[in-house]
């Protein structure tokens, strides 16, 4: 199995000394190349589960396994796209992508890195805006930079936390379609958190629903 979420519980300690059981006994298997959407009400634990896949947080019980190895920390084989883009405002589109590519592929020749960068700028249709900084871009364009940056690292697992949440319906529709094509083309395995059931149905091979917390489970 490509990814196995194996009997995962997540318990958060609370400031008053108590604890909050956010996730209880989550079991999920993800096949290579699959696109999974994670849906559920606000506060049910979607981001918590995604963070554990990213290695940003650990399970309290159970574990998350990627290609036979337990995920214990973040790594370039898993890239996360957040709702707020997280681009560096003083760098251009090209420089934002280059920063990630140069870091992860520091041993590859310069020419090869340049072509990876240009290919991914082109993939999301931003060649004309490659020199612009985030402040000069629309929300949808910033989101495309974030997606290009994530894909340029060629992750095994692409993790998206409400990537289109901040966008209007029209922009959203266009980007959803683009993401679908890019994922198909690159064969990347993706897990996307969304509030939007229509979006989940449109984009994914499988929709996974979390029940309301505490002790959220797969419903
Ligand atoms: N560090 C923390 N300490 C205590 N409780 C937490 C912590 N992080 C998350 N929680 C709780 O765990 C639950 C799940 O949070 P999570 O952010 O995963 O929800 P979500 O499904 O992503 O919600 P949304 O759709 O609003 O983003 C919430 O009830 C939240 O209050
Ligand atoms: Mg969330």
């Amino acid at each position: 199995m490509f990814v196995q979420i194996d009997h995962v519980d997540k318990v958060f300690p609370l400031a008053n000394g108590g604890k909050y059981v956010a996730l209880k006994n989550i079991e999920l298997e993800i096949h290579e190349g699959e696109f999974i959407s994670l849906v559920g009400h606000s506060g049910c634990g979607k981001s918590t589960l995604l963070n554990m896949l990213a290695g940003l947080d650990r399970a309290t019980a159970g574990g998350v396994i990627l290609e036979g190895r337990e995920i214990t920390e973040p790594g370039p084989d898993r890239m996360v796209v957040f709702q707020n883009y997280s681009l560096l405002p003083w760098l251009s589109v090209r420089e934002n992508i280059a920063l990630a590519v140069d870091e992860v592929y520091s041993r590859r020749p310069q020419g090869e890195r340049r072509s990876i960068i240009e290919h991914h700028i082109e993939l999301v249709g931003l060649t004309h805006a490659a020199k612009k900084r985030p402040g000069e871009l629309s929300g949808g364009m910033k989101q495309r930079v974030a997606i290009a940056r994530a894909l340029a690292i060629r992750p095994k697992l692409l993790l998206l936390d409400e990537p289109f949440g901040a966008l209007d319906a029209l922009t959203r529709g266009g980007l959803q379609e683009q993401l679908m094509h890019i994922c198909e083309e690159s064969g990347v395995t993706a897990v996307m958190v969304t509030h939007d059931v229509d979006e989940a149905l449109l984009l994914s091979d499988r929709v996974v629903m979390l029940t309301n917390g505490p002790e959220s489970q797969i419903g």
Side-chain angles (χ1 to χ4, degrees), residues 47 62 66 82 87 92 127 130 143 160 163 169 176 207 215:
S47 297
L66 171 64
F82 296 101
L87 303 175
S92 70
T127 307
Q143 200 52 281
L160 306 132
Q176 286 168 343
V207 179
E215 304 202 353

Side-chain angles (χ1 to χ4, degrees), residues 153-165:
I153 304 306
R154 312 238 176 100
K156 291 177 180 165
L157 198 54
L158 179 65
L159 303 167
L160 306 132
D161 197 347
E162 301 198 41
F164 309 130

Side-chain angles (χ1 to χ4, degrees), residues 4 14 30-31 41 50 52 63 93 105 111 136 155 165 197 200 218:
Q4 190 162 18
L14 296 177
I30 303 171
H31 302 276
H41 287 115
L50 204 74
M52 288 192 284
V93 167
Y105 289 125
E136 305 166 286
V197 177
I218 288 173

Side-chain angles (χ1 to χ4, degrees), residues 10-15 19-23 39-51 57 83 161-162 193-195 210 213-214 216:
K10 181 65 190 179
V11 182
F12 290 111
L14 296 177
K19 53 188 187 170
Y20 182 81
V21 183
L23 298 171
V39 301
H41 287 115
S42 181
C44 73
K46 303 180 295 296
S47 297
T48 302
L49 191 56
L50 204 74
N51 284 341
D57 202 356
Q83 180 173 355
D161 197 347
E162 301 198 41
V193 166
T194 178
H195 274 121
L210 281 180
S216 295

